[in-house]
Amino acid sequence: MGDKQEKINLLTPYKMGKFDLSHRVVLAPLTRQRSYGNVPQPHAILYYSQRTTKGGLLISEATGISDTAQGYPETPGIWTKEQVEAWKPIVDAVHAKGGIFFCQIWHVGRVSNTGYQPNGQAPISSSDKELTPQLRANGIDVARFTPPRKLSTDEIPLVVNDFRLAARNAIEAGFDGVEIHGAHGYLIDQFLKDAINDCTDQYGGSPENRCRFALEIVDAVVNEIGADKVGIRLSPFASYMESGDSNPKALGLYMAESLNAYKIVYCHMVEPRMKSVGEKVECPHSLVPMRKAFKGTFISAGGYDMEDGNNALAENRTDLVAYGRLFLANPDLPKRFELNAPLNKYNRETFYIPDPVIGYTDYPFLDSKEIKTT
């Protein structure tokens, strides 16, 4: 057993700042669209606690920071007292099983339309460029977006403050920390990427200017809750929601180096091979330069299986590996890795349905017979 355990790098302990992790398998942030009216629901207690192990790190689904942050149906928020109270029993259930739980805080920016916005106003962004209609994950429906309104320079501190307040609320709800969502074409990424950002003030143009908004948010959140409770997710190479960049490697490296000044506990980056949702391609780029530049814990995500994750750890390309679809379909994923047990197949058609059970809490665990015979 000892020899076998040594080979499963994913199941070795790791110290992430003040947190003692028992293994390196992280639950990636996964939008599930089951928070009716933007309020987390009791069925999320079972969903998250199913995926909790003692000393395991979980990152919540993307959680809106304000009433302007919405762009998808039934996604949770953390800007009202009701939402904070609704999160508490969910967080408590994770803690009861010894898990470490970070809340991913989020603003969609232009990935929205007037139907999601207060008073039917235009979504906000770093540009007034309209996002073209996108085929939804089910491959049938088409999402349509309203032309956004470019934020003025004096409005930006208000949005930064919304992130700060959301972080404070997350800690009040009992979360161990927050992950700032700076990836996948949402508001922060809309500032980072030159395919979108066309600001002509101090928030646009050079990489330093385009990164200013993200780093101001990091600074505000760190000052509010402490650097030891703050992580960030970035996807410099991804082009989700038309968020490409002309020099993603330089952008990622600049962010990784700049984050060191704030001493945040982790940087969570998405592999360049993930070009679109669920599509893994070979790519000449690498996260290694960013991993080397960032001084805290480095988390990699992007279509990993067990072998990929073990190899990334063996080659010191990352400290932790985030799993999304595999963890969604296998609530006992670390145990399955330990036993090299077969994995449940995920059903993409149930990723975003509002049902409180189907495709959510009904994926089977290994039964005791399988565990004994594996």
Side-chain angles (χ1 to χ4, degrees), residues 302-319:
Y304 281 88
D305 59 19
M306 179 174 159
E307 184 182 5
D308 290 338
N310 279 325
N311 289 342
L313 290 165
E315 294 164 13
N316 200 28
R317 287 186 276 120
T318 194
D319 296 307

Side-chain angles (χ1 to χ4, degrees), residues 65-71 79 106-109 112 116-118 121-124 159 162 187:
I65 61 162
S66 69
D67 59 357
T68 70
Q70 309 310 300
W79 72 90
W106 183 44
H107 196 301
V108 302
S112 186
Y116 290 106
Q117 296 298 312
Q121 66 195 35
I124 58 174
V159 182
D162 285 338
L187 182 62

Side-chain angles (χ1 to χ4, degrees), residues 55-71:
L57 174 62
L58 295 81
I59 306 169
S60 83
E61 60 208 278
T63 301
I65 61 162
S66 69
D67 59 357
T68 70
Q70 309 310 300

Side-chain angles (χ1 to χ4, degrees), residues 137-139 277-279 325 346-353 363:
N138 62 13
V277 177
E279 181 191 349
R325 294 180 295 274
Y346 55 81
N347 180 1
R348 190 180 296 279
E349 291 177 8
T350 63
F351 282 3
Y352 306 112
I353 64 172
Y363 281 104

Side-chain angles (χ1 to χ4, degrees), residues 124-357:
I124 58 174
S125 185
S126 63
S127 169
D128 55 12
K129 287 183 282 196
E130 184 177 358
L131 186 60
T132 55
Q134 307 275 324
L135 193 64
R136 291 199 189 275
N138 62 13
I140 302 166
D141 301 322
V142 174
R144 301 188 183 280
F145 307 98
T146 304
R149 177 179 68 80
K150 184 190 289 194
L151 284 165
S152 64
T153 309
D154 59 355
E155 289 177 296
I156 286 177
L158 304 176
V159 182
V160 171
N161 194 52
D162 285 338
F163 274 94
R164 181 184 68 81
L165 293 173
R168 178 201 287 179
N169 287 344
I171 299 304
E172 186 188 333
F175 283 101
D176 297 291
V178 301
E179 175 177 282
I180 297 163
H181 195 344
H184 295 160
Y186 298 116
L187 182 62
I188 293 173
D189 211 24
Q190 289 161 31
F191 277 84
L192 293 173
K193 303 289 185 63
D194 60 14
I196 303 173
N197 186 337
D198 55 12
C199 295
T200 55
D201 56 15
Q202 67 264 40
Y203 292 96
S206 67
E208 293 80 2
N209 282 357
R210 285 182 279 117
C211 293
R212 189 183 307 276
F213 178 57
L215 295 173
E216 285 180 351
I217 290 168
V218 170
D219 185 54
V221 171
V222 163
N223 284 330
E224 182 64 36
I225 67 171
D228 59 341
K229 302 183 191 73
V230 180
I232 191 169
R233 194 178 211 212
L234 301 168
S235 58
F237 295 97
S239 54
Y240 301 113
M241 299 297 174
E242 299 168 9
S243 64
D245 191 80
S246 60
N247 193 343
K249 184 175 178 181
L251 176 66
L253 202 52
Y254 180 82
M255 278 298 292
E257 290 169 344
S258 300
L259 289 167
N260 289 328
Y262 304 95
K263 296 183 167 54
I264 62 172
V265 72
Y266 74 73
C267 179
H268 180 184
M269 281 204 180
V270 179
E271 281 284 358
R273 59 191 178 157
M274 297 303 293
K275 284 303 187 188
S276 64
V277 177
E279 181 191 349
K280 187 161 71 172
V281 294
E282 290 309 310
C283 179
H285 302 296
S286 166
L287 296 180
V288 170
M290 292 120 224
R291 190 275 196 280
K292 287 181 176 173
F294 181 69
K295 304 300 185 205
T297 293
F298 198 84
I299 306 177
S300 293
Y304 281 88
D305 59 19
M306 179 174 159
E307 184 182 5
D308 290 338
N310 279 325
N311 289 342
L313 290 165
E315 294 164 13
N316 200 28
R317 287 186 276 120
T318 194
D319 296 307
L320 307 172
V321 182
Y323 287 88
R325 294 180 295 274
L326 293 187
F327 221 149
L328 180 157
N330 296 274
D332 52 356
L333 187 64
K335 174 60 72 175
R336 288 175 188 259
F337 284 170
E338 180 188 338
L339 301 173
N340 200 21
L343 301 181
N344 300 324
K345 290 185 168 54
Y346 55 81
N347 180 1
R348 190 180 296 279
E349 291 177 8
T350 63
F351 282 3
Y352 306 112
I353 64 172
D355 194 283
V357 176

Side-chain angles (χ1 to χ4, degrees), residues 6-67:
E6 284 165 18
K7 292 176 184 171
I8 307 178
N9 302 311
L10 288 162
L11 301 182
T12 56
Y14 177 79
K15 189 162 180 64
M16 184 184 84
K18 64 181 182 180
F19 303 104
D20 292 313
L21 305 186
S22 61
H23 58 78
R24 300 172 188 243
V25 180
V26 178
L27 176 67
L30 297 166
T31 291
R32 303 309 312 275
Q33 297 183 194
R34 288 162 167 89
S35 297
Y36 313 140
N38 303 127
V39 178
Q41 296 296 306
H43 47 249
I45 296 171
L46 180 58
Y47 172 74
Y48 282 108
S49 63
Q50 282 180 334
R51 287 156 184 79
T52 303
T53 51
K54 183 174 173 55
L57 174 62
L58 295 81
I59 306 169
S60 83
E61 60 208 278
T63 301
I65 61 162
S66 69
D67 59 357

